[in-house]
Amino acid sequence: MSRSEATLEELFSLLPELEELELLRLALVGIAIPDPEREWDSSSAYATIDKRIVGLPGVERAVAEAEEGLHRQVTSLFEGLRPILRAFWSGDSVQTAQCLIDLGDHHEQEGLYRKARHCYDVALSLSLPLPDKSSQILALRRIARVAFALGDLHQAQAYYQRSVELAHDSGNIESEIIGRTGLGNVRTLQGQWAQAEHYYRTALELADSIGDEEKLQLERAQLYNNLGNVSTRQMHLDAAESWFEKALALWAIIPSAYDRAVCHHNRALLRDAHGRRAEAREIYHQALGLQIPPGLWSAIAIDLAESYLRDGLMTQAEEWGRAAEERAIAARSPYFLGRMYQGRGNIARASGDEGGFIFFEKALQIAREKEYPLLEGETLVDYALLRARTGGAEEAQAYLERAREIFAQLGAIHELARAEEALRELKGGQELAAAAS
């Protein structure tokens, strides 16, 4: 019997796990819509993207779009290969390495991190014997950036450290500043905020040592953003305010809506830390009003939703959770989808509805398939809180123990402490229940 539509879950089950079909999967995600026949079904509140539907005309358009996109990728690949070969034949090894890095940059901008990594690896290998270390330093930083994006924090740290040491030995101050900033970013994601602050401060000291405030303005402003963030995390709230004031003064003259939104996002987190959640939400809204990519918009919106949640404003929390979902879908980014479903799971858990497990399950699926270990660990901790409350203590314990392993492997000490505390509380509750029986 013929059919008028199919769910994404059904369509994805038809597609072999081929890298060439990734564009098609993303295209289908972009056009799928909620099933209108389930609009008033109570289960629709917990429908993840898998349950969205696509009709045959939409599928055919998505196939054509994906095919065209794949052709563009192949064409771009070979266009990028030609200057590499020409530089090699001319005997210019520095330019050859730079062309490989440029090709990697292109793949990275398309979200093709592993392809980008292959290009950067070859550039690094080619640059090792060169007396000019600029290409080697840049290749090291690019590898670190890709590792960071994929959640391999130990490898990101190692490559950033190598780039910093080489830049320092070469007297390349700007590269050393960028590398130290990268090291700070790794430490921030690991929850090692005092060390992150050290790296950011040393980078800023290097920038100040140049003696020209007109130079490196973008790098300075980003460092102010980062220092404000880690100061907030350490509850040095007055210092955080000061850093954000410095950052905003520069974002007023630097045309980067993305970085300005990041600054507002971090300022909102600061207001939340102060307990001034109404002010925090005003700042979240400022950030969301800027022209920023849908992925960043989704990340800010889910934090806004969780801010409403902390004040018990469930209607607004659910509204912004759904808005975050739409933008995450538009971003065609698995990471932002996973983070959004983690947030929606928290909202559902807070409402006392057990159906929220569906969101946690989807976040875990994405995190595992796309190899986002930090997101997997964070989701496991949140999911465990739901399972413990709904009678699944053994399952919750398994989730927390796995999260603990992940955080220990990543060196994420803050998240590790959170998982261990949740595990202690769970076991304490089990012991009390056993004693009472």
Side-chain angles (χ1 to χ4, degrees):
M1 186 173 69
S2 62
R3 58 194 304 166
S4 58
E5 72 276 322
T7 65
L8 285 179
E9 186 176 34
E10 291 172 320
L11 289 171
F12 287 172
S13 71
L14 299 176
L15 301 177
E17 288 295 326
L18 299 175
E19 185 179 351
E20 292 82 358
L21 295 180
E22 183 64 15
L23 284 178
L24 176 57
R25 291 186 182 87
L26 293 174
L28 290 170
V29 165
I31 64 170
I33 62 171
D35 187 345
E37 293 186 2
R38 299 181 60 194
E39 184 177 0
W40 304 110
D41 185 340
S42 61
S43 66
S44 67
Y46 302 107
T48 61
I49 194 169
D50 299 327
K51 304 304 180 185
R52 292 190 170 213
I53 60 171
V54 185
L56 180 58
V59 171
E60 290 177 336
R61 287 195 300 273
V63 168
E65 176 188 333
E67 182 181 9
E68 183 180 342
L70 190 58
H71 282 304
R72 285 197 303 270
Q73 282 188 4
V74 173
T75 298
S76 177
L77 171 62
F78 282 92
E79 285 178 351
L81 186 61
R82 291 187 179 95
I84 294 170
L85 296 173
R86 285 195 292 266
F88 171 76
W89 241 260
S90 71
D92 190 341
S93 296
V94 173
Q95 183 60 25
T96 305
Q98 183 59 54
C99 288
L100 280 160
I101 291 170
D102 291 343
L103 182 58
D105 282 338
H106 177 76
H107 286 316
E108 195 176 348
Q109 289 165 12
E110 295 291 321
L112 305 171
Y113 295 115
R114 289 178 175 80
K115 288 186 177 181
R117 172 65 188 268
H118 293 321
C119 296
Y120 298 147
D121 282 337
V122 177
L124 177 60
S125 178
L126 186 65
S127 66
L128 290 176
L130 298 177
D132 183 345
K133 298 303 178 183
S134 299
S135 297
Q136 185 179 341
I137 294 167
L138 183 56
L140 287 166
R141 287 209 317 269
R142 290 291 190 270
I143 293 171
R145 190 168 73 184
V146 166
F148 183 85
L150 292 173
D152 191 340
L153 302 184
H154 287 308
Q155 190 170 86
Q157 178 186 339
Y159 278 93
Y160 273 130
Q161 185 63 46
R162 285 175 60 190
S163 79
V164 165
E165 291 168 357
L166 196 57
H168 180 77
D169 292 343
S170 305
N172 189 332
I173 294 179
E174 183 174 348
S175 290
E176 187 176 353
I177 290 168
I178 297 171
R180 287 185 177 276
T181 302
L183 283 169
N185 293 343
V186 172
R187 292 306 195 198
T188 296
L189 205 56
Q190 290 176 322
Q192 299 183 27
W193 298 312
Q195 290 188 34
E197 182 177 0
H198 166 73
Y199 284 121
Y200 293 144
R201 284 184 178 275
T202 55
L204 188 58
E205 288 168 6
L206 283 170
D208 290 341
S209 72
I210 295 175
D212 185 349
E213 293 188 0
E214 297 299 317
K215 292 188 68 175
L216 302 176
Q217 282 192 332
L218 177 62
E219 290 78 7
R220 287 174 189 273
Q222 290 171 339
L223 284 166
Y224 294 151
N225 275 4
N226 296 340
L227 282 162
N229 181 31
V230 295
S231 295
T232 300
R233 301 288 187 176
Q234 297 174 92
M235 297 304 290
H236 301 159
L237 304 185
D238 290 341
E241 291 280 9
S242 177
W243 289 120
F244 288 135
E245 286 176 9
K246 290 176 178 289
L248 287 173
L250 284 180
W251 296 130
I253 59 176
I254 299 173
S256 175
Y258 185 99
D259 287 301
R260 186 180 301 180
V262 169
C263 183
H264 287 320
H265 190 185
N266 288 336
R267 287 176 60 232
L269 294 172
L270 171 61
R271 294 296 186 275
D272 263 332
H274 273 297
R276 293 151 58 182
R277 283 191 286 273
E279 289 181 42
R281 291 192 285 271
E282 288 181 11
I283 299 172
Y284 281 128
H285 283 289
Q286 287 181 45
L288 294 172
L290 296 171
Q291 294 296 314
I292 55 177
L296 177 60
W297 199 98
S298 174
I300 296 171
I302 201 64
D303 280 346
L304 172 60
E306 290 182 324
S307 177
Y308 279 118
L309 177 64
R310 283 188 287 275
D311 276 342
L313 301 170
M314 293 302 302
T315 300
Q316 294 92 327
E318 290 170 354
E319 174 189 342
W320 283 99
R322 288 191 293 271
E325 181 177 28
E326 295 304 321
R327 293 300 181 98
I329 291 168
R332 300 188 180 185
S333 163
Y335 175 81
F336 289 116
L337 277 171
R339 167 66 187 108
M340 175 273 302
Y341 281 127
Q342 177 203 5
R344 291 200 67 187
N346 288 332
I347 293 168
R349 185 187 73 226
S351 71
D353 199 321
E354 297 178 18
F357 83 91
I358 292 173
F359 295 133
F360 287 132
E361 289 284 355
K362 187 60 183 175
L364 285 176
Q365 178 192 344
I366 293 170
R368 289 165 176 165
E369 287 181 354
K370 301 303 179 182
E371 299 179 6
Y372 302 136
L374 190 65
L375 177 62
E376 180 184 354
E378 291 172 338
T379 303
L380 283 168
V381 174
D382 290 339
Y383 195 2
L385 299 178
L386 174 64
R387 296 300 298 132
R389 196 180 67 195
T390 56
E394 290 185 5
E395 189 177 0
Q397 181 174 334
Y399 289 166
L400 291 170
E401 288 173 348
R402 175 57 185 148
R404 185 173 61 181
E405 290 176 8
I406 292 171
F407 297 141
Q409 290 166 1
L410 293 175
I413 58 173
H414 175 74
E415 293 298 336
L416 176 60
R418 180 181 176 227
E420 289 179 336
E421 177 62 23
L423 197 54
R424 281 192 296 271
E425 290 181 1
L426 177 66
K427 289 180 178 179
Q430 289 174 316
E431 290 171 0
L432 288 173
S437 63

